[in-house]
Amino acid sequence: MKLPHRPTRLAGLLAAGVALSIVGGAQFARAEVAPLDLVAPVTDYKIYVSAATKKLVTDTKAFTDAVKAGDLKKAQALFGPTRMHYEQIEPIAELFDDLDKAIDSRADDHDKKEADEGFTGFHRLEYGLFEKKSTDGLSPIADKLQTDVDELAKRIKDLTFPPEKVVGGAAALMEEVAKTKISGEEDRYSHTDLYDFQANFDGSKKIFDLFKPLIEKSDKTFVKKVDGNFTTVAKTLGKYKTANGYESYEKLTEADRKVLAASVNTLAEDLSTLRGKLGLN
């Protein structure tokens, strides 16, 4: 098929982060959809990630300032809401392994657990604020977190977004909730897990909504089913929303967690087929 104005189209694809292959001198996107069709959703997703990253930088500053000021109550209140911005964009943040480990690793990722010097970031501060109930000695960790978040924002700004990573992120976000977060291990000291769940849900739905028009062309039944699954999860999470955020995860019974896990698993399974439907496997 002839592609008119090839230089303009190619520049647009690269700017949006559409990965191209070269075979026999021909340039094409690795997708069953037309290459140009991927430009708008990938570009819009980058705008979404940029906005969330900007908010992450701003809110992390307020959070770390509270930690350094010794304001335990304020720092505790800001922890869950601040992390939401990171959880929304986790598929992209994880492209930078060094920063992801520094910002979001858990004690289990380190040999000496909570006592390990390499244990930094949000969860190290969470441990001090909620388990130790103190801000003592946390200022250097707070400063490092801010530096790492600032660096993440800088790298994301210059990043070319791979379409397969973007599309795959919709399932990855929900799979993480289903496989590891339902147990409560993520925010084990603060029990602010529901903030993370909502952020993962929001990030996943954003990706699906952006690519939905491309999938609807060939599979409207699938789109309707996934929309329904998103609605089910949203209603389930909505039950635990409060005037100031979300209930402590400790308040959910085992039955509550099973219901949540079931709806999240169903959604994750459907979303795992998105890349294949768009020819991005």
Side-chain angles (χ1 to χ4, degrees), residues 91-129:
I92 299 302
E94 288 180 343
L95 292 176
F96 308 105
D97 187 60
D98 59 329
L99 291 178
D100 184 50
K101 289 179 178 177
I103 294 171
D104 200 41
S105 67
R106 306 172 193 174
D108 297 342
D109 299 323
H110 304 275
D111 292 337
K112 298 180 181 179
K113 307 297 183 181
E114 287 87 354
D116 200 302
E117 291 184 0
F119 180 35
T120 61
F122 277 115
H123 293 303
R124 175 61 183 86
L125 292 174
E126 178 198 6
Y127 172 67
L129 295 172

Side-chain angles (χ1 to χ4, degrees), residues 47-111:
I47 292 171
Y48 169 79
V49 170
S50 296
T53 305
K54 183 177 180 180
K55 187 67 173 167
L56 174 65
V57 170
T58 301
D59 285 9
T60 299
K61 181 66 165 58
F63 170 60
T64 55
D65 280 351
V67 172
K68 292 190 292 183
D71 192 335
L72 179 62
K73 186 175 181 180
K74 183 176 181 180
Q76 288 177 331
L78 292 176
F79 175 77
T82 300
R83 269 182 49 76
M84 289 184 77
H85 307 300
Y86 189 83
E87 293 291 333
Q88 286 173 333
I89 63 168
E90 201 163 15
I92 299 302
E94 288 180 343
L95 292 176
F96 308 105
D97 187 60
D98 59 329
L99 291 178
D100 184 50
K101 289 179 178 177
I103 294 171
D104 200 41
S105 67
R106 306 172 193 174
D108 297 342
D109 299 323
H110 304 275
D111 292 337

Side-chain angles (χ1 to χ4, degrees), residues 176-201:
E176 185 175 356
V177 174
K179 292 179 180 179
T180 65
K181 293 184 177 179
I182 288 290
S183 66
E185 66 183 72
E186 177 81 4
D187 300 310
R188 65 190 66 174
Y189 318 111
S190 63
H191 308 296
T192 55
D193 305 80
L194 288 167
Y195 287 87
D196 288 3
F197 295 177
Q198 183 65 57
N200 289 156
F201 173 89

Side-chain angles (χ1 to χ4, degrees), residues 208 215-216 218-228 270 277:
F208 178 72
I215 302 170
E216 277 183 320
S218 60
D219 201 340
K220 292 183 179 179
T221 300
F222 172 79
V223 168
K224 184 177 180 180
K225 179 184 179 185
V226 175
D227 275 336
D270 285 339
K277 289 182 179 295

